[in-house]
Amino acid sequence: MRWGEIIRRVLLIPPTLAGVGLIVFVLLRVVPGDPIAMMIPPGASAADIARLRALYGLDQPILQQFVVWSGQVLTGDFGRSISLHQRVFELVLARLPATLELALLGTVIAVLLGTVVALIGAYLRGRRAEWAIDGGVGLLLAIPDFLWALILLLLLGVILPVLPISGRIDPQLDIAFGTNFYLIESLLTGRLDVAAALLQHMILPALALALPFAALVARLLKAQLAEAEDQDYAQVARARGFSRPAILLRDVLPNALIPTVALGGVQITLLLGGTVLVERIFSYEGIGNMAIDAVINRDFPLIQGLILTFAVLFIALNLAVDLLVTLLDPRLRHG
Amino acid sequence: MADLALTGVTERPSRWRLASARGGARLWLGAALVAVLLLIAIFAPLLAPHDPVEQDLMSAQLPPAWMTGGEWAHPLGTDSLGRCVLSRLIFAARTAVEVAAIAASLAAAIGIAFGLLAGSFGGWIDQGVSRLIDVWMAFPPVLLSIVLAAVIGAGLTSVVAAIVVVDWTRFARVVRAETLSQLQRDYAAAARVLGLTRGQILRFEILPNLVPLIVTLIAVEMGIAVLVEVILSFVGISVAGDTPTWGGMIVEGRQIVYQAPWIMALPIVSVIATVIGFNLLGDGLRAALDPVHRQ
């Protein structure tokens, strides 16, 4: 991708976000559930209900509500959550680091696992064992992240109870953090015991997110490795007497990585979207879990804020992957 | 003239036998799993030992029969309200098949219509449909289906609608691309020369060639539909009330997973078997019906 294309993509971000915001806004306003009905005490008078309605601006026409809300969003004001009675911006900001750390850990696991499986698969090319690897990868791909979450929870949390299955950290550990990036902070400040306690809680949900993505990485990379190994330079290296593992790691892998990132990078958005249910299943306190609560409570401002957050993350990830490919591939840099 | 040797020609094997040979083990395994599911769904009232909504609080959270404390009246145990887990699993299979069949055919119908339209008319119609698909694909599918189901409210209709509205693009994209490529072929040009109208060409020439592709997509889509029902159950907006669904059972089981892990494990196994069944069937059908490989 050329730089001009990237600039075009950046310019497309504001209208895309406005479109997402408008669709969600209008969709939510035709919901039959009434957020005010869920917060009033039984026996509230009609006047009280009307006052609450006016307080949250719900008595205005939909389009007018949207204009007011968009204006506020542009100044950084995402409104107040109806169910949690706090500012949406602060609520999302407090929970976002938990989700980002989980998604990051999931991505790291997926890339490592996928690369190892692809290398083994490429090494075993043409043998009977390759069939087993392909079958395993196909199985990993067919089962989505939230089902892996349930399977892992049952196997390693309940039947063989070796890992905790809910929350982000043991509530008995009363540890103070300066930021909400618990894992990154504890690693940077050298508190490895805290990091280990955090990882214990994060490893199952992260693994659930990682497994289907790892399978995707393995499938794409294995095909690229096979193609690269058939090229002349790999054949020459073989003729000069280098071993196959050495050629695969040193010569073939770097060349197979670029097309793999180009083809599979965008799928990271799927891993991020998967956090919604996986966080729910493991009662992990991130924005995905929060989004489900917000939908159940018909908390309009919070849902809008969260969906916009996800949309921004999706767009940013897509752009980051394209930038990465451009930077990795010298042919594209001067396009 | 050289004599064309016709003596060595043997009877051609039937097309069905060829197709099933190409489909291989995947096709048969997938077809078997799906067939078992369909049979369970159809004969649910005969197979289930109990009424799936009948509560018996005196015998709640019984373990499966072979474990200590289990009894053979409830072969797979009971849930926290004393309902028979086996009967609920069986009737949930019925709900799953209903949702999957209705949602997949509706998504296919809408997607095929848009795909044919865009692929055959081209121009601004194609532009319009293609942009619509792009915007649709930009939405995170899990969030979109959750918000949609919340809009419509709990119930079977809601689950079906969420699947159709999110997934019609899967059919539209493929059908559009395939229509474009089929219209380039000689047989489509010949049909035009013969004076067939656009509608006739689509109906009699193009559509029959799309059937293998569509059948494959529908099989995979039915697996996806079963998964979406589970997703919506986590938000409490799946099929309402007492109706047993696998997703509903998983969510209930998660609450008491330490006391009664089998309540969550059994519907998970059912969902996985179903999804893998539909996936294998789809893969096998693609290999079996692919017109490129057909002799």
Side-chain angles (χ1 to χ4, degrees):
Chain A
M1 178 184 308
R2 302 206 198 149
W3 294 115
E5 172 70 9
I6 288 180
I7 292 169
R8 197 182 69 86
R9 291 271 301 276
V10 172
L11 291 178
L12 270 174
I13 293 176
T16 311
L17 285 179
V20 169
L22 182 65
I23 293 174
V24 173
F25 202 90
V26 173
L27 262 181
L28 285 176
R29 262 58 186 183
V30 292
V31 178
D34 182 350
I36 301 298
M38 304 193 95
M39 59 190 288
I40 50 167
S45 72
D48 286 340
I49 296 175
R51 229 180 28 196
L52 268 176
R53 230 172 243 296
L55 180 66
Y56 287 100
L58 295 169
D59 53 345
Q60 309 286 325
I62 289 180
L63 210 62
Q64 198 177 331
Q65 288 185 41
F66 180 67
V67 172
V68 170
W69 179 71
S70 314
Q72 289 170 340
V73 166
L74 286 179
T75 61
D77 177 10
F78 288 79
R80 295 178 72 84
S81 155
I82 295 177
S83 59
L84 299 170
H85 310 287
Q86 288 178 54
R87 302 176 60 77
V88 168
F89 189 71
E90 281 149 25
L91 282 170
V92 174
L93 215 59
R95 287 278 198 99
L96 186 58
T99 299
L100 291 181
E101 282 190 336
L102 186 64
L104 188 68
L105 186 62
T107 309
V108 171
I109 295 175
V111 170
L112 290 179
L113 190 65
T115 307
V116 170
V117 172
L119 281 169
I120 296 174
Y123 184 73
L124 295 173
R125 185 145 66 115
R127 297 199 209 160
R128 235 161 210 285
E130 188 196 7
W131 183 85
I133 295 228
D134 286 346
V137 166
L139 189 71
L140 282 184
L141 263 178
I143 299 178
D145 43 23
F146 68 92
L147 276 185
W148 283 120
L150 292 166
I151 296 168
L152 290 172
L153 183 146
L154 264 178
L155 290 183
L156 296 175
V158 179
I159 295 174
L160 199 72
V162 287
L163 287 165
I165 60 167
S166 71
R168 190 178 179 194
I169 191 158
D170 217 325
Q172 279 131 11
L173 295 174
D174 194 20
I175 306 163
F177 290 98
T179 65
N180 283 323
F181 288 97
Y182 291 178
L183 182 63
I184 295 174
E185 186 191 323
S186 57
L187 283 174
L188 288 181
T189 54
R191 290 189 291 174
L192 294 183
D193 52 329
V194 179
L198 284 163
L199 278 173
Q200 266 194 0
H201 280 79
M202 290 170 75
I203 196 76
L204 285 184
L207 196 58
L209 290 170
L211 285 179
F213 191 56
L216 188 83
V217 172
R219 181 173 276 189
L220 289 173
L221 185 59
K222 180 168 167 279
Q224 296 296 337
L225 285 171
E227 197 172 305
E229 209 189 357
D230 290 337
Q231 303 287 317
D232 290 342
Y233 66 85
Q235 302 287 328
V236 168
R238 190 93 185 93
R240 288 174 62 194
F242 289 105
S243 71
R244 268 197 78 207
I247 297 171
L248 275 174
L249 280 174
R250 206 196 51 200
D251 300 320
V252 172
L253 185 61
N255 283 300
L257 277 179
I258 297 169
T260 306
V261 174
L263 288 170
V266 178
Q267 307 284 337
I268 286 189
T269 55
L270 285 185
L271 187 147
L272 189 68
T275 57
V276 175
L277 279 168
V278 171
E279 285 182 1
R280 186 73 180 178
I281 289 166
F282 286 101
S283 311
Y284 186 85
E285 304 284 293
I287 58 171
N289 203 348
M290 193 181 223
I292 291 187
D293 278 331
V295 170
I296 291 175
N297 293 324
R298 304 272 185 270
D299 192 336
F300 294 172
L302 191 53
I303 299 175
Q304 284 154 200
L306 283 169
I307 290 193
L308 270 190
T309 308
F310 270 108
V312 169
L313 290 176
F314 272 49
I315 294 170
L317 271 176
N318 272 319
L319 209 61
V321 169
D322 287 340
L323 270 172
L324 186 65
V325 174
T326 311
L327 288 174
L328 282 176
D329 195 335
R331 286 167 304 182
L332 290 173
R333 223 175 296 156
H334 307 292
Chain B
M1 285 294 271
D3 217 21
L4 290 177
L6 289 170
T7 44
V9 175
T10 49
E11 187 71 19
R12 224 177 124 212
S14 94
R15 270 175 54 178
W16 289 105
R17 193 170 299 166
L18 278 176
S20 64
R22 273 194 304 273
R26 285 168 301 176
L27 180 64
W28 292 113
L29 194 57
L33 282 170
V34 172
V36 169
L37 175 73
L38 288 180
L39 288 176
I40 291 175
I42 293 167
F43 296 111
L46 298 177
L47 293 171
H50 293 270
D51 182 345
V53 297
E54 178 192 287
Q55 300 182 6
D56 179 6
L57 290 172
M58 296 305 287
S59 52
Q61 281 185 32
L62 285 177
W66 59 88
M67 286 163 70
T68 44
E71 38 188 75
W72 280 104
H74 303 281
L76 294 180
T78 57
D79 67 8
S80 50
L81 293 174
R83 295 173 297 193
C84 172
V85 170
L86 176 62
S87 308
R88 288 182 75 71
L89 277 178
I90 291 173
F91 274 89
R94 189 172 245 202
T95 320
V97 169
E98 263 171 19
V99 169
I102 300 173
S105 2
L106 280 179
I110 296 173
I112 293 167
F114 273 100
L116 281 178
L117 209 65
S120 63
F121 280 88
W124 65 268
I125 295 182
D126 187 21
Q127 283 292 319
V129 173
S130 299
R131 286 296 82 70
L132 187 64
I133 293 174
D134 283 350
V135 170
W136 225 262
M137 308 280 287
F139 261 101
V142 173
L143 276 182
L144 182 58
S145 54
I146 289 175
V147 171
L148 261 172
V151 167
I152 307 163
L156 197 67
T157 338
S158 169
V159 179
V160 169
I163 298 165
V164 173
V165 173
V166 173
D167 266 355
W168 66 273
T169 50
R170 284 167 28 87
F171 291 88
R173 270 191 319 158
V174 177
V175 168
R176 174 187 165 273
E178 192 61 21
T179 306
L180 277 176
S181 94
Q182 294 284 343
L183 281 172
Q184 306 276 315
R185 306 251 175 112
D186 288 340
Y187 78 90
R192 263 193 298 276
V193 172
L194 281 173
L196 267 65
T197 64
R198 192 201 302 270
Q200 283 171 326
I201 295 177
L202 285 182
R203 163 79 184 74
F204 298 111
E205 306 289 331
I206 306 294
L207 209 49
N209 281 300
L210 297 184
V211 166
L213 202 67
I214 293 170
V215 169
T216 306
L217 282 175
I218 287 182
V220 175
E221 185 65 39
M222 288 179 78
I224 294 177
V226 172
L227 291 174
V228 174
E229 190 278 312
V230 180
I231 293 176
L232 294 181
S233 293
F234 272 97
V235 200
I237 40 186
S238 179
V239 180
D242 252 357
T243 316
T245 68
W246 289 331
M249 294 178 76
I250 292 173
V251 175
E252 283 166 20
R254 171 68 177 93
Q255 314 285 336
I256 46 169
V257 70
Y258 279 121
Q259 298 92 310
W262 62 89
I263 296 180
M264 187 171 103
L266 292 166
I268 293 177
V269 173
S270 313
V271 170
I272 292 174
T274 305
V275 170
I276 289 180
F278 278 120
N279 268 331
L280 288 174
L281 183 65
D283 274 359
L285 282 173
R286 178 163 37 220
L289 299 173
D290 192 342
V292 176
H293 298 153
R294 193 182 290 161
Q295 290 298 309

